[in-house]
Amino acid sequence: MGTFFLKLGAIKYGFHAPDNAYKGIGQYLGVKAPGNESGVAYGINTPKPPKVAITASAGSGKNKKTVVITRFCDPSNLEKVLSGSLRGKNVTYGGKSYKVASVATTK
């Protein structure tokens, strides 16, 4: 399990997620591993960053598998992400790599 954060205005919102959850897509979503970052707040209820639903697939034909993955996104990156900056990128889910087809906001 890894620790991550993103900035919400002056707040650095910290959270835990699987190690590979943001591999290859974290920079587009504005999510970083904290490293030596100070002032990261964990366990806060508000404000919460927006979430996006990432539709991705792997394989083809009868072997094609499609998944919808929910991830946090920095509000300042949301427009770019919804406009297709993740399309074609690889996202890891359940130890497998999937190619991103589309992204939408979620609640």
Side-chain angles (χ1 to χ4, degrees):
M1 190 64 70
T3 57
F4 301 92
F5 81 97
L6 52 81
K7 289 188 85 164
L8 295 175
I11 297 172
K12 295 174 188 171
Y13 182 86
F15 59 97
H16 299 282
D19 289 333
N20 291 327
Y22 289 89
K23 180 181 176 185
I25 62 170
Q27 68 270 23
Y28 300 99
L29 297 172
V31 174
K32 303 172 187 169
N36 293 331
E37 191 76 27
S38 63
V40 179
Y42 292 91
I44 59 174
N45 290 321
T46 57
K48 283 210 185 255
K51 290 182 182 178
V52 292
I54 301 169
T55 302
S57 61
S60 61
K62 289 182 180 182
N63 295 324
K64 185 174 182 176
K65 181 175 180 182
T66 301
V67 295
V68 178
I69 305 162
T70 303
R71 297 286 185 260
F72 285 123
C73 183
D74 184 319
S76 65
N77 293 28
L78 192 57
E79 186 176 334
K80 287 186 276 186
V81 169
L82 295 175
S83 296
S85 69
L86 284 182
R87 195 171 297 125
K89 304 290 188 261
N90 289 321
V91 62
T92 302
Y93 178 73
K96 293 179 116 181
S97 181
Y98 294 86
K99 191 162 294 288
V100 175
S102 64
V103 180
T105 55
T106 185
K107 295 183 180 189

